[in-house]
């Protein structure tokens, strides 16, 4: 899942488990180098070795997260700081979800992600951050207790889907939209089951929902059922109830 862009300079650059600065900061990211097909045919000899690094990232993620217990992922903008209502709402939602027996997983960055980790820690829960190598972020926020840094977005996305029992999507930008639609696609295609997706913030998200209804649904590119795969709300109680109900359904049905 990408984070939303930040314009402020940072002192450090995170590259997987490494922390770099100054002349050690690379000019491209690992994902860029993987996906770049231009230039010489040297990639033929390099890509097999990249597979080993990708494999190592999967192993590190699985090994680190296998025992965290029930968890909910929270997504949202890196740009919405402590002075915003979105940040305060994220803190409270996170606290309430921890009280209901969940760990909290975020992208580990600033803004809404920081708020989710802060709320989890304040409630005495497990605060998890899954970071990603980006040119404009300096690593995990100070409220992450269990942090894993990834080079590859697709590995990181797998961890969110595998170890979360649901997604809470707070106001955000391109990265948040990517996470929202990725989750919708996985539920729509049956790759994950009984997986609640909650958009929090009616004023922020209503325009997107209206467009999906008047364009996608009207043109027949999605179905009525697809519009029922997520919930739009401003009610924190409803967020907690939706997650808890889905978990209860899983346990009764014998699903993981």
């Amino acid at each position: 899942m990408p984070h939303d862009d930040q314009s402020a300079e940072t002192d450090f650059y995170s590259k997987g488990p490494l922390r770099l600065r100054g002349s050690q900061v690379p000019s491209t990211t690992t994902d860029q180098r993987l996906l770049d097909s231009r230039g010489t045919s040297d990639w033929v000899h390099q890509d097999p070795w990249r597979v080993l690094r990708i494999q190592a990232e999967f192993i590190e993620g699985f090994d680190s997260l296998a025992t965290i217990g029930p968890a909910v992922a929270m997504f949202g903008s890196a740009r919405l700081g402590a002075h915003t209502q979105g940040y305060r709402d994220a803190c409270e939602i996170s606290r309430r979800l921890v009280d209901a027996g969940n760990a909290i997983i975020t992208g580990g960055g600033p803004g809404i992600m920081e708020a989710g980790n802060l709320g989890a820690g304040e409630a005495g829960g497990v605060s998890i951050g899954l970071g990603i190598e980006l040119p404009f972020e300096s690593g995990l926020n100070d409220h992450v207790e269990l942090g894993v840094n990834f080079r590859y977005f697709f590995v990181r996305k797998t961890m969110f889907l595998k170890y979360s029992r649901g997604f809470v999507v707070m106001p955000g930008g391109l990265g948040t939209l990517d996470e929202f639609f990725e989750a919708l696609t996985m539920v729509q295609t049956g790759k994950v089951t009984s997986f609640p997706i909650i958009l929090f913030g009616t004023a922020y998200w209503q325009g997107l929902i209206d467009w999906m209804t008047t364009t996608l649904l009207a043109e027949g590119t999605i179905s009525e059922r697809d519009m029922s795969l997520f919930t739009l709300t401003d009610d924190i109680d409803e967020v907690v109830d939706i997650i808890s109900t889905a978990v209860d359904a899983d346990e009764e049905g014998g699903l993981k």
Side-chain angles (χ1 to χ4, degrees):
M1 141 208 97
H3 298 330
D4 301 321
D5 194 358
Q6 285 186 287
S7 58
E9 284 191 13
T10 54
D11 293 330
F12 294 96
Y13 180 91
S14 292
K15 181 180 180 182
L18 302 179
R19 195 180 192 193
L20 308 172
R21 70 182 304 174
S23 64
Q24 295 300 306
V25 176
S27 60
T28 60
T29 68
T30 308
D31 265 333
Q32 285 175 311
R33 293 190 291 276
L34 169 67
L35 298 174
D36 189 0
S37 60
R38 298 168 296 178
T40 69
S41 60
D42 289 347
W43 64 269
V44 174
H45 307 290
Q46 296 169 356
D47 281 357
W49 291 101
R50 286 196 178 108
V51 171
L52 296 178
R53 176 178 284 174
I54 292 167
Q55 178 182 351
E57 286 214 343
F58 275 113
I59 292 171
E60 182 72 24
F62 293 152
D63 185 60
S64 300
L65 301 172
T67 61
I68 63 173
V72 176
M74 177 177 287
F75 301 111
S77 176
R79 303 184 184 195
L80 297 180
H83 63 285
T84 65
Q85 187 61 46
Y87 187 102
R88 292 188 289 270
D89 288 338
C91 275
E92 180 60 23
I93 291 169
S94 181
R95 284 191 289 262
R96 295 282 302 281
L97 288 172
V98 166
D99 289 342
N102 303 284
I104 300 296
I105 307 176
T106 79
I112 295 296
M113 294 170 281
E114 176 186 282
N117 293 128
L118 172 61
E122 289 179 339
V126 181
S127 175
I128 301 163
L130 306 183
I132 186 68
E133 178 189 353
L134 291 175
F136 43 76
E137 287 190 11
S138 60
L140 302 174
N141 67 68
D142 292 338
H143 304 289
V144 170
E145 295 178 334
L146 171 58
V148 185
N149 275 311
F150 295 91
R151 290 181 172 92
Y152 299 103
F153 270 119
F154 58 88
V155 179
R156 181 172 176 253
K157 286 182 175 182
T158 299
M159 300 304 151
F160 276 117
L161 287 165
K162 180 172 177 60
Y163 293 106
S164 301
R165 57 169 53 173
F167 285 177
V168 178
V169 185
M170 305 296 291
L174 296 180
T176 305
L177 287 169
D178 175 67
E179 289 142 357
F180 171 56
F181 283 111
E182 170 106 13
L184 278 183
T185 301
M186 298 299 281
V187 175
Q188 181 204 48
T189 56
K191 298 298 184 181
V192 292
T193 58
S194 189
F195 192 87
I197 303 167
I198 303 166
L199 287 174
F200 190 86
T202 301
Y204 189 87
W205 293 113
Q206 189 62 59
L208 174 65
I209 306 309
D210 291 343
W211 174 78
M212 292 175 67
T213 302
T214 59
T215 302
L216 302 185
L217 185 59
E219 292 290 334
T221 55
I222 63 173
S223 69
E224 289 278 2
R225 177 184 175 275
D226 295 332
M227 294 297 294
S228 70
L229 298 179
F230 60 90
T231 301
L232 175 63
T233 186
D234 294 313
D235 187 343
I236 294 177
D237 289 335
E238 185 176 12
V239 173
V240 178
D241 288 344
I242 289 170
I243 297 292
S244 298
T245 299
V247 171
D248 291 342
D250 276 356
E251 292 174 349
E252 291 175 6
L255 298 173
K256 288 187 177 181

